[in-house]
Amino acid sequence: MRKWLTGVIGLILLTPGCEKDDICDEFARTTPRLIISFYDFENANNLRTVNALEIIGDGAEAPLGVFSGVNRIELPLRTTDDVTRYRFRLNSNNEAADNIDFIEFNYARQDVYISRACGYKTLFRLADVGGVVLTDATPSDALWIKSFTLNTLTIDNEDETHLSIYF
Amino acid sequence: MKMKRTFLFIFSLLVGAVAAQEKQVSDSATVKTERYGIRIGADLYRAGRSAFDSRYKGFELVADYRLTRRFWLAAELGNESVDSDEEQLDFTTRGSYLKAGFDYNCYENWLDMENVISIGLRYGFSTFSHTLRNYEIYNPNPYFGEAAPVAVNREFDALNASWLEVVAGVKVEVFDNIFVGFSARLNYLISDKKPDNFDNLYIPGFNRTYESKFGVGLNYTLTYFIPIYKAAVK
């Protein structure tokens, strides 16, 4: 009986020490970014890499990045507003050949509970009409983005391409 | 048995009792009786925490009734209001709970002492609500800057939970009929009604929840024993 008692007390003391749910797991599915894949306009099945594509969000302090040799980028959307607008400047390393287009995302937000450590995440649903708006720079330098396809309205993970851009 | 008696003998000397009393134990000719009754009291741990921790208000009343020589029916009744301020979440849980079950006294008392070393089981049930004051959005890519916590002040009510507790406890009679006790509990959650788009991170009576169904608890009790009748030890 006494051994049993010792065992139970031991178990009580040991159990909580084994759990670590105070730190948000880096692999947890948290607030997703919008995934863009770039395709060749002439041959729509082929992915195409961008050259010196500088991306800046409206209101952001610094460019998101200058992307070269990639055909997939991840765009953070604002979690405090229903609109996020980005400037896409292709060939940013060449003043003579650069071209600026804008893409505006309009969406509704939903905050979804994750866990004690992670709190909540924001999921996005692009508007049925005008969810993605492509505009040229002023003065116009012609659109370098020839067309785009929206694969889903729901942005709730980073596993799939949400927006395909053809150029 | 011989060793035990020797131990008792030495112990009685240490305590300062008269060595001659040891005779009483070994003398089986006299009929030994034990007292039966109900013990009532309160948890000092929750009372103390209420006094010193501004984020906690709560109490727990405890009672047990001696059913047989070794078995006691036992129950705890409590109410808690607990503020939890996590990294990403700030909320208050309020609710009441009732635990009922039994304790088995494993301790062989000597002389007419009535101390308890027990192992027991409880079924616990709680009804409660959470008020989520604000939460933070976990955003691993805060390109547009860290967002401020979102104030919601949303109440999730009509929640409940049930669980089992394995209880290991000690009770010592410090004055006539007055006992102090300590118990440690290992809880196993059976069911809980979860709030929509939130979780039961704290359950009154069960305490903090974990990813698994286990939890822990404790109390320090001060109880008063009300004797009802005496029965001979068989």
Side-chain angles (χ1 to χ4, degrees):
Chain A
M1 182 60 86
R2 200 154 292 176
K3 266 184 193 163
W4 185 37
L5 198 67
T6 313
V8 169
I9 293 172
L11 206 62
I12 288 171
L13 294 176
L14 284 175
T15 306
C18 302
E19 306 222 19
K20 286 207 175 90
D21 59 353
D22 290 333
I23 299 158
C24 188
D25 185 348
E26 60 176 307
F27 298 111
R29 287 173 165 266
T30 57
T31 303
R33 290 167 294 182
L34 186 136
I35 311 295
I36 298 180
S37 290
F38 294 94
Y39 288 90
D40 188 348
F41 182 69
E42 309 297 332
N43 197 341
N45 289 326
N46 291 356
L47 287 161
R48 183 177 171 188
T49 58
V50 293
N51 173 51
L53 175 61
E54 183 196 63
I55 301 178
I56 303 178
D58 268 17
E61 288 173 359
L64 180 66
V66 179
F67 302 88
S68 283
V70 296
N71 53 39
R72 181 183 193 269
I73 55 164
E74 297 109 1
L75 286 187
L77 298 178
R78 287 175 183 273
T79 59
T80 53
D81 204 347
D82 293 339
V83 184
T84 304
R85 189 167 180 257
Y86 276 99
R87 189 179 88 146
F88 292 77
R89 182 175 170 225
L90 195 65
N91 302 321
S92 61
N93 56 354
N94 183 346
E95 287 282 331
D98 72 338
N99 188 317
I100 296 171
D101 291 355
F102 291 92
I103 298 181
E104 185 178 278
F105 300 95
N106 295 286
Y107 47 85
R109 288 170 288 136
Q110 187 193 5
D111 292 346
V112 175
Y113 177 78
I114 314 172
S115 66
R116 179 194 297 273
C118 303
Y120 282 72
K121 62 180 168 185
T122 300
L123 303 183
F124 311 93
R125 187 183 158 81
L126 293 165
D128 293 324
V129 179
V132 178
V133 181
L134 172 66
T135 51
D136 196 6
T138 43
S140 171
D141 57 3
L143 291 168
W144 67 265
I145 297 172
K146 297 285 195 300
S147 74
F148 64 84
T149 323
L150 195 52
N151 304 315
T152 175
L153 290 175
T154 310
I155 316 298
D156 61 1
N157 66 70
E158 297 186 349
D159 301 338
E160 55 183 322
T161 295
H162 305 119
L163 179 69
S164 302
I165 286 181
Y166 302 88
F167 76 106
Chain B
M1 193 64 205
K2 198 168 184 181
M3 246 177 73
K4 202 170 192 177
R5 242 189 269 168
T6 313
F7 171 72
L8 290 179
F9 177 70
I10 294 167
F11 189 66
S12 60
L13 278 175
L14 286 173
V15 173
V18 186
Q21 276 184 340
E22 215 252 336
K23 253 196 136 184
Q24 238 176 305
V25 177
S26 54
D27 190 357
S28 54
T30 54
V31 178
K32 192 184 172 193
T33 61
E34 284 183 350
R35 301 192 301 165
Y36 286 69
I38 191 165
R39 194 158 34 203
I40 55 169
D43 174 22
L44 298 178
Y45 173 70
R46 283 172 176 81
R49 211 180 144 194
S50 298
F52 296 109
D53 183 350
S54 62
R55 303 192 309 163
Y56 181 91
K57 282 276 170 295
F59 67 87
E60 181 177 280
L61 302 177
V62 299
D64 54 358
Y65 174 78
R66 191 171 187 182
L67 200 64
T68 68
R69 182 146 190 262
R70 294 237 175 245
F71 280 99
W72 296 71
L73 291 178
E76 291 93 13
L77 177 71
N79 181 280
E80 288 184 322
S81 168
V82 186
D83 292 352
S84 300
D85 194 2
E86 306 276 341
E87 188 87 9
Q88 300 284 107
L89 304 161
D90 181 12
F91 64 98
T92 299
T93 304
R94 292 181 193 88
S96 301
Y97 60 90
L98 177 67
K99 305 174 188 182
F102 67 88
D103 283 333
Y104 177 86
N105 188 2
C106 323
Y107 186 64
E108 194 69 56
N109 277 293
W110 52 295
L111 302 182
D112 56 349
M113 291 170 76
E114 294 175 320
N115 299 324
V116 174
I117 296 178
S118 63
I119 186 95
L121 205 62
R122 301 280 188 284
Y123 173 80
F125 184 80
S126 175
T127 61
F128 54 92
S129 69
H130 306 295
T131 304
L132 181 63
R133 277 184 296 280
N134 53 62
Y135 61 81
E136 285 184 41
I137 299 293
Y138 192 87
N139 187 359
N141 307 286
Y143 174 57
F144 292 100
E146 295 284 353
V150 183
V152 277
N153 276 316
R154 190 178 161 193
E155 178 153 348
F156 303 88
D157 56 5
L159 305 171
N160 60 64
S162 68
W163 65 94
L164 283 177
E165 295 187 8
V166 176
V167 187
V170 186
K171 289 186 194 79
V172 179
E173 189 175 14
V174 287
F175 299 106
D176 272 359
N177 296 330
I178 293 175
F179 290 76
V180 292
F182 169 75
S183 80
R185 290 128 188 274
L186 179 64
N187 309 334
Y188 182 80
L189 194 64
I190 299 171
S191 71
D192 66 324
K193 187 184 164 196
K194 288 189 192 296
D196 184 33
N197 203 23
F198 192 43
D199 200 2
N200 294 326
L201 300 176
Y202 189 94
I203 296 171
F206 183 93
N207 305 325
R208 187 196 198 276
T209 58
Y210 296 87
E211 301 269 309
S212 70
K213 291 186 172 297
F214 288 96
V216 291
L218 62 85
N219 67 8
Y220 287 96
T221 56
L222 182 65
T223 47
Y224 185 77
F225 180 69
I226 303 165
I228 297 173
Y229 65 94
K230 282 185 179 183
V233 178
K234 283 164 195 153

